C-alpha cells in the first residue's frame, strides 16, 4: 500500500463543484472558449456526446433562475463564467450577467450538435465573433482540455487514448478493497482530515437545505415527514437515506450551494458521505472515526467507478452505495471479510439500476441505494453473503468489481443508446 498515492487519488477525485457536473462541464468549456476568443461571442456551436446530452437535458443549472439544458449551460459559462474556477465556473453570477444570458439565449445563434463519438464525456464549444473564432474541447474528465484552437490555429493539442482511457491522473489500478481497508485504518489523520472536513461541511449544508426547502420531488424531506407521522420508523436507515436524498433533491433542482464531488459526480460524493456522517453523528462517533469511515467509503466508490467509467448507463450512486455499505461495516469495527461481504451484497442487489440522466429521480435512486447498503451490512454481519457464481458475483470482491465493469461498459452499451433515444424522442 502506497499511502502517498492513495492520498493523491483522494485529492484528485474529491473536488468542490457547484451544480451537476455535466452542465458545469459545458459551462466550463464555454467560459474557456470565450477566454481564448478574448471578446464577447455572438454565436456558439456546441458539440456534445450522447451521455452529456443525457445528463444535461433535465437538470437545473445553478444561478440561472431555474433554466435547464445544454444551451443554458454553455451560455452561462460563455457570458458569466470564470474558467479559472473550473467546476465552480458559474458560482458568482450577478443579476446583470443573468439578464445578459437570457438576452443571448433569446437573440443569438446557438447550435447544439450531437457529436458521433465513442467518448462518453465529450464537449467541444466554438465561440464566434464576426470572422474570429475559438474552440475548446474536453474529453473523459470534466475539466480535461484536450484541444484549443483560435482562428483555425491549434494552440494546444494533447494526445488522448480514447479506446483505453482511464485517467491522466494517479494510477487507480493500485486500489483494492484490502488496500483501502488498511489505508483507512492506519493513515495519519493529518494526511486526509482537511479534505474530509470540507466533505462534512459542504455536503451536510446542502442536505440540510434539501430537508428544509422545496426542491425536486423532495424525497429526503418526504422520508422525514413520514418518520414523524409514524408511517416510517425513526431509525438509522431512514435517517441516513433521508439525509443523502435531500442533498440530491437540492442539487438536481439547481441549488447554488457547492458540494464535494467524488469521481466527477456530486451525487456520488453526497451518497458516499452523507449516510456515514449521519450514522456517526447519531452514534457519537469521534471526528477521527468519521473521517476514516469517509475515507473508506470514498475510495471504494472511486475503485468501483474506475471500472464502470466516468459516464455510463450504470447508475453511479450504486458505486457510492456499495462504498457506504463497506464504510458502515468499517466504522462498526468489522473485519475485512465482513466489510468485503457488505460491498458484495450491495453490488449483487442493486447493480441493475440504470442512469437515465441527472434529474429529480436521482434522489430516489440514492435513497434506494442507501437502504440496500444497510441491508447488506446486517446480512454480512450475520454471515450471509451472496455466493460466487450467483449472477454477477465473482469468487472474491475484486472479481465482482471487475464484473461490474464488464457489465457497465460492455453489457450496458446498448442500454445507454436506448436510454438516449427514449430521452430524445427517437422512438
Amino acid at each position: 500500500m502506497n499511502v502517498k498515492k492513495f492520498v493523491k487519488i483522494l485529492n484528485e477525485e474529491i473536488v468542490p463543484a457547484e451544480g451537476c457536473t455535466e452542465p458545469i462541464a459545458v459551462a466550463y468549456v464555454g467560459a474557456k472558449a470565450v477566454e481564448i476568443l478574448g471578446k464577447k461571442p455572438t454565436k456558439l456551436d456546441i458539440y456534445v456526446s450522447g451521455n452529456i446530452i443525457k445528463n444535461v437535458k433535465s437538470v437545473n443549472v445553478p444561478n440561472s433562475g431555474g433554466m435547464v439544458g445544454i444551451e443554458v449551460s454553455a451560455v452561462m459559462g460563455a457570458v458569466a463564467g470564470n474558467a479559472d474556477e473550473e467546476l465552480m465556473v458559474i458560482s458568482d453570477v450577478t443579476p446583470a450577467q443573468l439578464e445578459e444570458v437570457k438576452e443571448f439565449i433569446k437573440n443569438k445563434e446557438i447550435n447544439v450538435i450531437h457529436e458521433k463519438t465513442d467518448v462518453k464525456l465529450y464537449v467541444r464549444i466554438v465561440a464566434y465573433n464576426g470572422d474570429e473564432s475559438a474552440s475548446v474541447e474536453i474529453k473523459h474528465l470534466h475539466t480535461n482540455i484536450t484541444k484549443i484552437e483560435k482562428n483555425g490555429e491549434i494552440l494546444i493539442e494533447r494526445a488522448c487514448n480514447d479506446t483505453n482511457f482511464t485517467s491522466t491522473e494517479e494510477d487507480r489500478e493500485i486500489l483494492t478493497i484490502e488496500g483501502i481497508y488498511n489505508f483507512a485504518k492506519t493513515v495519519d489523520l493529518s494526511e486526509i482530515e482537511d479534505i474530509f472536513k470540507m466533505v462534512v461541511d459542504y455536503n451536510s449544508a446542502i442536505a440540510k437545505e434539501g430537508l428544509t426547502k422545496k426542491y425536486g420531488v423532495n424525497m429526503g424531506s418526504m422520508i422525514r415527514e413520514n418518520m414523524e407521522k409514524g408511517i416510517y420508523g425513526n431509525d438509522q436507515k431512514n435517517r441516513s437515506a433521508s439525509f443523502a436524498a435531500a442533498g440530491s433533491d437540492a442539487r438536481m433542482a439547481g441549488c447554488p450551494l457547492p458540494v464535494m464531488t467524488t469521481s466527477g459526480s456530486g451525487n456520488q460524493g453526497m451518497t458516499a458521505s452523507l449516510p456515514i456522517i449521519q450514522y456517526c453523528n447519531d452514534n457519537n462517533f469521534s471526528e477521527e472515526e468519521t473521517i476514516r469511515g469517509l475515507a473508506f467509503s470514498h475510495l471504494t466508490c472511486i475503485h468501483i467507478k474506475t471500472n464502470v467509467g466516468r459516464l455510463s448507463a450504470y447508475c453511479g450512486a450504486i458505486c457510492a452505495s456499495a462504498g457506504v455499505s463497506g464504510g458502515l461495516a468499517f466504522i462498526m469495527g468489522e473485519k475485512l471479510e465482513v466489510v468485503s461481504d457488505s460491498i458484495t451484497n450491495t453490488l449483487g442487489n442493486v447493480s441493475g439500476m440504470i442512469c437515465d440522466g441527472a434529474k429529480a429521480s436521482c434522489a430516489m435512486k440514492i435513497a434506494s441505494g442507501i437502504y440496500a447498503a444497510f441491508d447488506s451490512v446486517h446480512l454480512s454481519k450475520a454471515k450471509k453473503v451472496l455466493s460466487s457464481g450467483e449472477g454477477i458475483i465473482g469468487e472474491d470482491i475484486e472479481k465482482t468489481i471487475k464484473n461490474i465493469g464488464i457489465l457497465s461498459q460492455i453489457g450496458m452499451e446498448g442500454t445507454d443508446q436506448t436510454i438516449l433515444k427514449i430521452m430524445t424522442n427517437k422512438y
Side-chain angles (χ1 to χ4, degrees), residues 196 199-200 272-273 276-277 290-299:
F196 284 113
V199 167
V200 172
S273 60
I276 301 291
I277 294 166
T290 303
I291 289 172
R292 292 188 184 280
L294 289 170
F296 184 91
S297 178
H298 281 73
L299 280 169

Side-chain angles (χ1 to χ4, degrees), residues 28 32 136-138 143-148 156 158:
Y28 170 71
K32 192 68 178 178
V136 175
E137 172 192 81
I138 62 169
T143 56
N144 181 42
I145 293 175
T146 49
K147 192 172 185 179
I148 296 177
I156 293 175
R158 299 188 177 104

Side-chain angles (χ1 to χ4, degrees), residues 125 127 165 217 222 303 350 358 392:
I125 293 180
F165 181 85
V217 295
M222 182 278 291
H303 181 29
V350 286
I392 59 173

